[in-house]
């Protein structure tokens, strides 16, 4: 992304009172930030999801102190921006209800990170929780999954470390600006993650530690992952919030059972009662993604990190999607597919990614999909 594009995206996210959900709709309507800024009152007033105050703030937005300060800080801390329209932006994350429009990033997100899995849990982890996280995270990373977590004390730290030990990739979603490593004792871990994955945040640089930031960032952890494993935590813990976000995003939810008398196992045991898959080893997760992990190994083994074509046959649901695209001249938007089928956005995005891996479809700009 060039400096002028940075400016436009930073201006866009600085609009007062217009959050990610509305910004996503505006981008769908106008295509890019510059076109949004060019829209007049009449055009904006025709959009029923904007309030008069929203419209006033959009029309009055200009390059401001926030934009100029962030541009300087990006250079100072060697941080990049990726927008929801960039190729590097995580595929699955694009299709949650309120995806972050702009991500700050240190490191790289690669095509193989489409095969991501979240491991989350309490900061006050027991030895049992740490040992199991290390075993499961190691095996998942070795099998081709990028491990996503939140860089916190306890389970999160072990999850990231287990992936690095396996020689795999890991992504930390931060609840602060990327110039602030929290907790500070994880500074070395953060540096290692940058070399084998990425640190990402939707919070501007110089954003300090705020309690409400962490529940907000949890939707990103689940949103960019195929599934979520909750290792330890209470019913009110951040890990349970992440699993709730995952359920709303149609993600698979897994839980590690624990001692019924242990407060740290209260959350996972509760999730199992509600229907989460009980996990005692990595195999319990991997058997749910047997075909997917095979593709992941192929991607990681390819020299140019491109997604290889495959001879695998389409599932019945993939066949339905294929027919919809074919009937629409072999080129259709995701929104049109939602209208033409009974699938949700999350279901479609997941199946389309699998079809892209198999070499059946190709994703084009502006959420268009083409038959290969």
């Amino acid at each position: 992304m060039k400096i002028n594009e940075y400016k436009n995206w930073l201006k866009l996210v600085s609009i007062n009172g217009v959050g990610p959900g509305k910004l996503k709709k505006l981008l769908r309507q106008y295509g890019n930030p510059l076109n949004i800024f060019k829209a007049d009152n009449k055009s904006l007033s025709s959009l029923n999801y904007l309030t008069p105050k929203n419209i006033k703030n959009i029309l009055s937005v200009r390059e401001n102190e926030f934009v100029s300060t962030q541009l300087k800080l990006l250079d100072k801390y060697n941080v990049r921006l990726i927008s929801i329209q960039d190729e590097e932006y995580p595929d699955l994350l694009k299709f949650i209800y309120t995806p972050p429009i702009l991500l700050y990033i240190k490191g790289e997100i690669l095509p193989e990170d489409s095969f991501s899995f979240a491991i989350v849990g309490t900061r006050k982890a027991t030895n049992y929780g740490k040992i199991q996280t290390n075993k499961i995270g190691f095996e998942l990373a070795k099998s081709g999954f990028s491990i996503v977590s939140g860089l916190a004390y306890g389970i999160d730290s072990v999850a990231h470390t287990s992936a690095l030990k396996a020689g795999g990739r890991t992504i930390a979603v931060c609840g602060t600006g990327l110039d602030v490593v929290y907790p500070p004792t994880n500074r070395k871990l953060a540096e290692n993650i940058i070399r084998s994955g990425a640190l990402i945040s939707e919070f501007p640089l110089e954003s300090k530690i705020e309690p409400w930031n962490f529940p907000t960032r949890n939707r990103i952890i689940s949103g960019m992952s195929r599934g979520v494993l909750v290792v330890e935590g209470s019913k009110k813990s951040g890990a349970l919030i992440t699993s709730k976000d995952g359920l709303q995003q149609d993600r698979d939810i897994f839980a590690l059972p624990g001692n019924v008398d242990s407060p740290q196992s209260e959350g996972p045991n509760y999730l199992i009662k509600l229907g989460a898959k009980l996990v005692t080893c990595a195999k319990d997760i991997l058997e749910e993604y047997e075909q997917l992990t095979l593709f992941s190994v192929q991607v990681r083994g390819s020299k140019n990190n491109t997604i290889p074509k495959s001879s695998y046959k389409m599932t019945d649901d993939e066949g339905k999607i294929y027919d919809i695209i074919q009937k629409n001249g072999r080129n259709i938007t995701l929104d049109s597919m939602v209208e033409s089928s009974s699938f949700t956005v999350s279901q479609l995005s997941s199946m389309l990614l699998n079809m892209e891996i198999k070499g059946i479809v190709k994703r084009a700009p502006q959420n268009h999909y083409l038959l290969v």
Side-chain angles (χ1 to χ4, degrees), residues 36-331:
I36 294 172
F37 302 144
K38 288 179 179 178
D40 58 21
N41 185 73
K42 182 179 179 183
S43 177
L44 293 170
S45 296
S46 68
L47 306 176
N48 59 14
Y49 53 85
L50 294 179
T51 67
K53 191 171 183 179
N54 289 157
I55 294 168
K56 181 183 177 182
N57 290 341
I58 293 168
L59 293 172
S60 62
V61 71
R62 59 179 61 85
E63 189 174 331
N64 49 41
E65 187 178 346
F66 168 79
V67 174
S68 57
T69 299
Q70 290 298 303
L71 289 172
K72 291 174 186 174
L73 292 172
L74 287 168
D75 185 56
K76 178 180 178 180
Y77 293 109
N78 194 27
V79 174
R80 296 182 294 118
L81 294 177
I82 53 175
S83 80
I84 195 170
Q85 294 181 346
D86 287 331
E87 287 292 321
E88 194 178 356
Y89 192 98
D91 281 306
L92 290 175
L93 187 60
K94 288 181 181 179
F95 303 114
I96 68 171
Y97 182 65
T98 55
I101 301 302
L102 203 56
L103 288 172
Y104 292 75
I105 179 169
K106 294 189 81 167
E108 279 187 297
I109 295 176
L110 300 179
E112 58 255 46
D113 295 323
S114 295
F115 310 96
S116 290
F117 191 89
I119 301 178
V120 294
T122 181
R123 291 171 171 81
K124 299 176 182 178
T126 65
N127 283 335
Y128 162 75
K130 291 177 182 177
I131 290 167
Q132 296 305 319
T133 300
N134 186 57
K135 286 181 181 178
I136 294 169
F138 185 93
E139 290 301 322
L140 290 179
K142 209 169 180 180
S143 298
F145 277 108
S146 298
I147 302 301
V148 182
S149 199
L151 198 64
Y153 286 123
I155 298 301
D156 288 19
S157 295
V158 178
H160 292 303
T161 303
S162 69
L164 295 172
K165 284 180 183 175
R169 289 180 58 77
T170 184
I171 296 168
V173 185
C174 303
T176 60
L178 292 187
D179 55 314
V180 180
V181 175
Y182 181 78
T185 51
N186 274 353
R187 191 174 300 279
K188 184 63 178 177
L189 176 58
E191 291 171 1
N192 291 335
I193 290 171
I194 291 168
R195 288 193 286 270
S196 298
L199 303 180
I200 65 173
S201 177
E202 70 176 318
F203 299 106
L205 293 167
E206 293 194 333
S207 293
K208 303 303 180 187
I209 302 159
E210 301 288 358
W212 50 84
N213 284 0
F214 295 95
T216 301
R217 68 93 195 261
N218 289 345
R219 82 190 195 288
I220 302 176
I221 294 175
S222 57
M224 65 185 298
S225 304
R226 293 287 176 146
V228 179
L229 170 64
V230 178
V231 175
E232 291 185 315
S234 70
K235 283 186 182 181
K236 295 182 180 180
S237 66
L240 267 288
I241 293 172
T242 306
S243 69
K244 182 180 177 183
D245 289 334
L247 282 171
Q248 292 172 340
Q249 297 160 352
D250 289 331
R251 303 299 187 250
D252 301 316
I253 306 300
F254 303 82
L256 181 81
N259 187 328
V260 294
D261 294 323
S262 170
Q264 284 92 336
S265 293
E266 180 186 30
N269 290 344
Y270 173 70
L271 288 174
I272 291 167
K273 285 174 66 177
L274 293 180
K277 179 165 183 177
L278 185 152
V279 171
T280 59
C281 61
K283 186 180 177 183
D284 293 332
I285 297 169
L286 292 171
E287 66 185 12
E288 299 290 326
Y289 304 103
E290 187 175 355
Q291 184 172 301
L292 187 62
T293 51
L294 173 61
F295 291 142
S296 176
V297 170
Q298 289 178 311
V299 173
R300 291 173 194 271
S302 64
K303 291 181 180 179
N304 57 0
N305 280 333
T306 55
I307 294 176
K309 291 189 178 182
S310 160
S311 58
Y312 281 91
K313 294 180 180 179
M314 286 184 283
T315 65
D316 289 343
D317 285 342
E318 288 170 354
K320 293 175 185 176
I321 296 171
Y322 184 95
D323 290 341
I324 290 170
I325 300 174
Q326 192 170 49
K327 287 175 184 176
N328 284 269
R330 304 173 70 86
N331 181 343

